[in-house]
Amino acid sequence: VSTRTDTAVQRFREVVVWNAPDWSAAAATADELLRADPNDPAGYFLHAQVCYNTRDHDRALPLYDRAIELGCRDIEAYTRRAEIQ
């Protein structure tokens, strides 16, 4: 995991977990990761989390799929994917 990914994931958590959820800021963080490295599973996972939490499950499913394809090891990617499939 790159330093950029670690920083972006930390910023995502601050926006979503420690504050009232700001889904547009969280989506922007995920998009930043995807622009920097389109093969980073964290970007897809975080973007899927935003879609899932805003109830856009049709968009979340392929994002979880891609994150998993790229090697995402977060169990939540698998459980959320199973919930919405």
Side-chain angles (χ1 to χ4, degrees):
V1 176
S2 70
T3 303
R4 177 181 292 147
T5 298
D6 287 342
T7 302
V9 169
Q10 180 63 30
R11 190 168 52 245
F12 180 88
R13 288 187 175 134
E14 288 171 2
V15 168
V16 174
V17 178
W18 297 325
N19 300 318
D22 181 346
W23 297 116
S24 61
T29 299
D31 289 341
E32 176 185 320
L33 274 176
L34 290 173
R35 277 191 304 278
D37 182 358
N39 293 313
D40 185 346
Y44 291 95
F45 173 69
L46 296 179
H47 201 98
Q49 292 288 82
V50 170
C51 293
Y52 178 89
N53 285 294
T54 57
R55 308 229 189 282
D56 190 352
H57 296 165
D58 290 339
R59 280 185 66 202
L61 186 58
L63 293 167
Y64 283 127
D65 287 341
R66 185 67 177 141
I68 291 166
E69 282 175 21
L70 292 172
C72 180
R73 294 178 183 220
D74 193 310
I75 190 67
E76 202 166 347
Y78 294 86
T79 57
R80 293 273 171 95
R81 183 180 174 272
E83 286 175 26
I84 62 177
Q85 218 175 14

